[in-house]
């Protein structure tokens, strides 16, 4: 497939005809959130298309919703059908006449959460990240815990504080233990990021069943960038024995655009071999990860390029693990990979790793050394992936600026 | 107040005029879930009342919803107003004529989740439970971890697998580590309960703000019984370092009836003194817990009577802690106390404590010793509280029967 789009500039950028990610937007003139597909610097208005009876009748109601829930719940046949129709429409220059009705410039749109988050689960699937954090949090023991290579370790996060990219991040307050053992309270002094990739469940399951890793694409609609903001001082004091809580729950940012799995077909890449071999419920007939090249910019300076392809546990294994106990899935469940870190020092997806616990500052602009986030700092995570066209697609960005803690 | 109700039998049972808990029910004739208030063995149909224009116009729409969300979001003035009106109606014998329209026998109703669960947080607020579990899980170290008396330890659970009382519980499958170090897979062999009390948020907050413990009653609508089913073998292997995940996420049962805080006014009781004194954000002007007497029955045999009044951390402190980092609240957030265990051996709210790690079986009927749950077993948790009338109210029950794991 090598089609071109009639939308100006779309073919040469990260949002060409081979991408077509979904989001929810509104405009000053029409402030109700509605669904759209990004093409170049424009948003194709799906509600306008549905109103114009472009889609099949049974699909149209989904595009009158404010989020992707209804469409995602329809499953892969609907996803493929709509993608096919949108590709045709955006490749057929006869539609150019309808630009004014169908397209909204990204610059004029306000973006919303693309879907209502049901449950949010965060994994810990990078061996390099888990090893680095083990060294930093538990310097006196083996960095990788005994269970780590047997199962994708994960936990539930707070769905209600998942916010769209661009939402200001208020520095959290909380308890921490000072080095002298005193219990202190105040704004976090070790505010960090975690550069992650999230996967969105479209088709849910019944309680008491499980999902095979081979059925990943039957349930997962697409991928979205995630920044799992983390207050390391709060986390370190609270996390034993029930895991991270307030160190994470103050905010998790996700990108505006959900890239459908079909747009990532060319990004499929062999995942690392696993030793020991995992239990049968985690074995994949066709084991693959996604070759996403991530970039982390801190106040505009690129500080890391985490490679997603090297993740030890694949998204399909995460999904299988999450449901092997019979837990049901719901449309809108979001599960994220955990921090993406590669083997090299400049491939680390969190600042606690990049600055080695705050001991090795990084420069984020001339004369601006940083260990953890300062008020006013902005972090932007982006990613690209090989596209079917032979070029690349861009998975959008997830960005946020730190605001001072409340008094 | 010493009013009596015209509903037969209501005055002498756990669902008298001083209780009036809310739930969602349907009938064979009308299978759409709708809201009701329990009075004796009857359900007062709130949708029927709203249709009959009984409530003020601005309140009526909430009683055309399928769950409590809309009503809970209206806040304390609406809660008090409706409670006052319902108390008058159920105390005014002139309404007896309308029994057929207004009342549905509990025996003819099917009960649903009373509200859509937004985020589910589980705390760990009983000192006796935390100490017992510390001894069992970490026999070689101090049972109570260093942070435990400084903050109410908690974590997020899976909101999507919160189910109404009576839902069958399919035994979860998962990984565990055998005593010889081998990694085994299969149905949990140490399936357990946790007898808890949950609190339901009615009025949410904005991101970046916090809630003072003194504002507890401005946000929390009511209380509901919770059974946090737990697979101890799965949990023990997975929980380091990110906390419980699959050992808990397969199912959490809650009672059908949400008891409004106003019905628990007479149950307020001094909470244990705290040493060390907690940080200011956890200090309460009027520190109180709730004097709920819980009962755990295993196949009909009462095996424990956990006392909720002795919980070290109060529900108000849990709420304040959960939000001190700026995390927002949503209508429908559920936070539970963690296992309620008292100081005595027969006051322990989990079987791992009652049987001391499975080493001391309990009798649950003649010649039926148990350590953990067997297929077909039923557990029912109930609770009573002092009522304004001088008697007691009953907080309903949360029950579930274990089904075999799937092949």
């Amino acid at each position: 497939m090598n089609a071109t789009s009639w939308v100006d500039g779309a073919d040469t950028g990260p949002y060409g005809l081979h991408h077509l990610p979904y989001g929810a937007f509104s405009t000053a003139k029409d402030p109700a959130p509605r669904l759209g597909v990004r093409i170049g610097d424009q948003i194709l208005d799906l509600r306008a298309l549905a109103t114009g009876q472009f889609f099949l009748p049974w699909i149209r109601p989904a595009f009158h919703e404010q989020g992707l829930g209804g469409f995602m719940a329809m499953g892969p046949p609907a996803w493929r059908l709509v993608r096919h129709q949108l590709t045709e429409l955006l490749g057929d220059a006869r539609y150019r006449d309808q630009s004014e009705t169908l397209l909204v410039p990204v610059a004029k749109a306000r973006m919303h959460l693309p879907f209502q988050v049901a449950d949010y689960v965060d994994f810990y699937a990078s061996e390099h990240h888990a090893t680095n954090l083990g060294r930093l949090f538990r310097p006196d023991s083996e960095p990788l815990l005994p269970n780590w290579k047997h199962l994708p370790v994960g936990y539930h996060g707070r769905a209600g504080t998942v916010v769209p990219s661009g939402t200001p991040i208020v520095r959290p307050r909380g308890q921490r233990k000072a080095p002298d053992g005193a219990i202190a309270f105040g704004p976090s002094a070790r505010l960090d990021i975690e550069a992650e990739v999230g996967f969105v469940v479209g088709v849910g399951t019944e309680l008491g069943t499980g999902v095979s890793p081979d059925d990943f694409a039957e349930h997962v609609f697409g991928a979205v960038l995630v920044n799992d903001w983390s207050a390391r001082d709060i986390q370190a004091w609270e996390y034993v024995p029930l895991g991270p809580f307030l160190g994470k729950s103050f905010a998790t940012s996700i990108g505006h655009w959900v890239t459908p799995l079909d747009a990532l077909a060319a990004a499929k890449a062999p995942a690392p071999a696993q030793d020991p071999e995992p239990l049968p419920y985690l074995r994949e007939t066709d084991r693959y990860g996604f070759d996403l090249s991530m970039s982390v910019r801190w106040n505009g300076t690129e500080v890391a390029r985490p490679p997603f392809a090297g993740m030890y546990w694949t998204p399909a294994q995460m999904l299988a693990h999450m449901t092997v106990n019979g837990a049901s899935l719901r449309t809108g469940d979001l599960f994220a990979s955990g921090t993406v870190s590669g083997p090299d020092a400049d491939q680390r997806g969190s600042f606690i790793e990049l600055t080695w616990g705050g001991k090795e500052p990084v420069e984020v602009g001339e004369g601006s050394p940083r260990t953890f986030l300062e008020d006013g700092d902005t972090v932007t995570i982006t990613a690209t992936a090989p596209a079917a066209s032979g070029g690349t697609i861009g998975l959008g960005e997830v960005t946020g600026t730190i605001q001072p803690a409340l008094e």
Side-chain angles (χ1 to χ4, degrees), chain A:
Chain A
M1 191 164 70
N2 208 358
T4 57
S5 172
W6 51 266
V7 177
D8 292 338
D11 294 333
T12 54
Y15 298 102
L17 213 45
H18 302 287
H19 191 181
L20 305 184
Y22 294 87
F25 73 101
S26 62
T27 53
K29 218 170 105 186
D30 186 349
R34 53 196 188 274
L35 294 169
V37 157
R38 178 134 182 198
I39 178 78
D41 292 331
Q42 304 287 326
I43 302 170
L44 177 64
D45 186 334
L46 295 174
R47 193 184 65 185
L49 282 174
T51 303
Q53 313 210 331
F54 177 78
F55 301 108
L56 289 177
W58 60 277
I59 287 182
R60 283 176 215 153
F63 296 132
H64 288 283
E65 294 189 11
Q66 301 200 342
L68 281 167
F71 177 53
M72 295 199 300
M74 288 176 170
W79 308 341
R80 278 192 292 262
L81 181 62
V82 167
R83 186 168 170 81
H84 178 73
Q85 288 187 283
L86 295 176
T87 304
E88 290 209 324
L89 183 155
L90 290 165
D92 183 345
R94 286 173 299 180
Y95 282 97
R96 192 195 292 269
D97 291 348
Q98 296 180 46
S99 296
E100 280 211 17
T101 324
L102 297 181
L103 299 183
V104 173
V106 169
K108 289 197 176 173
R110 183 181 158 208
M111 300 305 297
H112 304 267
L113 268 187
F115 57 95
Q116 190 182 336
V117 181
D119 271 299
Y120 165 47
V121 166
D122 198 22
F123 283 95
Y124 193 52
S126 157
E127 182 173 355
H128 305 290
H129 171 68
T131 303
N132 288 336
L133 255 65
R135 288 204 178 107
L136 289 164
F137 272 81
R138 297 174 297 275
D140 300 326
S141 35
E142 273 293 307
L144 220 50
L145 288 160
N147 58 11
W148 198 89
K149 290 213 163 179
H150 293 278
L151 53 85
V153 170
Y155 68 102
H156 284 90
R158 190 164 184 83
T161 52
V162 175
V163 296
S165 175
T167 304
I169 304 301
V170 178
R171 180 181 298 274
R173 303 176 306 167
Q175 289 194 30
R176 57 173 177 267
K177 193 176 191 176
D180 66 359
I183 309 305
F185 179 82
S188 169
R190 290 164 75 89
L191 186 56
D192 196 357
I193 65 147
E194 299 204 327
E196 309 193 7
V197 179
F199 294 86
V200 188
V201 171
V203 178
T205 60
E206 292 294 313
L207 199 67
T209 61
V211 175
S212 155
D214 289 347
D215 289 337
F216 175 72
E218 300 300 311
H219 293 276
V220 170
F221 175 74
V224 66
L225 291 178
V226 174
N227 184 349
D228 180 36
W229 305 94
S230 300
R232 300 299 179 190
D233 40 5
I234 296 172
Q235 182 184 352
W237 173 228
E238 75 180 354
Y239 89 105
V240 179
L242 301 186
F245 184 34
L246 299 185
K248 304 276 195 172
S249 67
F250 57 96
T252 304
S253 300
I254 67 171
H256 295 152
W257 298 103
V258 181
T259 297
L261 277 195
D262 276 350
L264 293 175
K268 285 187 185 179
Q274 296 187 303
D275 181 22
E277 185 182 33
L279 285 168
Y281 79 90
L282 291 169
R283 287 180 208 156
E284 303 153 288
T285 307
D286 175 21
R287 175 171 164 78
Y288 62 86
F290 295 99
D291 180 20
L292 311 181
S293 300
M294 302 174 72
S295 166
V296 179
R297 281 180 290 134
W298 192 342
N299 293 346
T301 299
E302 183 175 78
V303 293
R305 291 199 59 83
F308 189 69
M311 300 294 275
Y312 190 86
W313 296 103
T314 68
Q317 289 179 311
M318 297 176 206
L319 184 71
H321 185 63
M322 190 163 70
T323 56
V324 70
N325 68 344
S328 48
L329 297 172
R330 288 184 293 172
T331 298
D333 279 349
L334 171 67
F335 61 100
S337 58
T339 308
V340 182
S341 290
D344 298 338
D346 62 355
Q347 294 180 322
R348 294 168 179 165
S350 73
F351 298 157
I352 194 171
E353 292 169 87
L354 278 173
T355 67
W356 208 249
K359 281 179 261 168
E360 302 170 10
V362 294
E363 287 288 332
V364 300
E366 212 176 284
S368 297
R370 284 285 190 286
T371 51
F372 292 98
L373 286 159
E374 298 189 5
D375 291 347
D377 281 1
T378 296
V379 176
T380 304
I381 301 165
T382 55
T384 58
S389 56
T392 61
I393 61 174
L395 271 75
E397 65 172 32
V398 58
T399 190
T401 298
I402 306 304
Q403 293 193 339
L406 297 186
E407 292 302 309

